[in-house]
Amino acid sequence: MRGTPRLPQAFRFVRLGSTAEAIATLSRHTAYSPSRKSALPLVTTHVESGVALGPHLPGAPQNMEHALRSDWRWWSDNLDEMNELFQAWLNR
């Protein structure tokens, strides 16, 4: 948004686009979990199929129980070594 002559409009767009309602609407079209937890209860059914999306969303609480979590700190500390090991494995 830096340097735009329409800064107020840009802020308005970001504010409207980041509401729980707007994010829930996107999830109804894509079946991706909303990026805000507050939007999850607002996701109802898939727009085209009418299927209830709640149990199918990756971020639904029952699906998160068994989700793999990524340890970004570990990856940050070990990325170079892991890339070297992976490359060595590929070259075998």
Side-chain angles (χ1 to χ4, degrees):
M1 295 188 316
R2 180 180 295 165
T4 182
R6 298 181 179 169
L7 189 60
Q9 292 90 341
F11 275 115
R12 183 170 178 248
F13 172 77
V14 170
R15 191 170 38 254
L16 290 173
S18 60
T19 63
E21 292 80 10
I23 293 169
T25 299
L26 289 174
S27 291
R28 291 190 63 219
H29 288 273
T30 62
Y32 294 153
S33 292
S35 55
R36 291 180 62 168
K37 287 182 182 181
S38 60
L40 193 56
L42 302 176
V43 179
T44 55
T45 58
H46 186 265
V47 171
E48 293 178 14
S49 68
V51 172
L53 285 172
H56 303 289
L57 294 174
Q62 68 274 16
N63 296 332
M64 292 300 292
E65 291 175 12
H66 302 289
L68 295 175
R69 304 225 189 274
S70 184
D71 184 345
W72 296 105
R73 183 172 290 134
W74 185 90
W75 279 105
S76 177
D77 293 342
N78 296 283
L79 182 62
D80 292 337
E81 181 184 357
M82 292 298 107
N83 279 334
E84 288 175 21
L85 290 170
F86 182 65
Q87 192 61 48
W89 176 78
L90 286 175
N91 292 332
R92 294 188 327 177

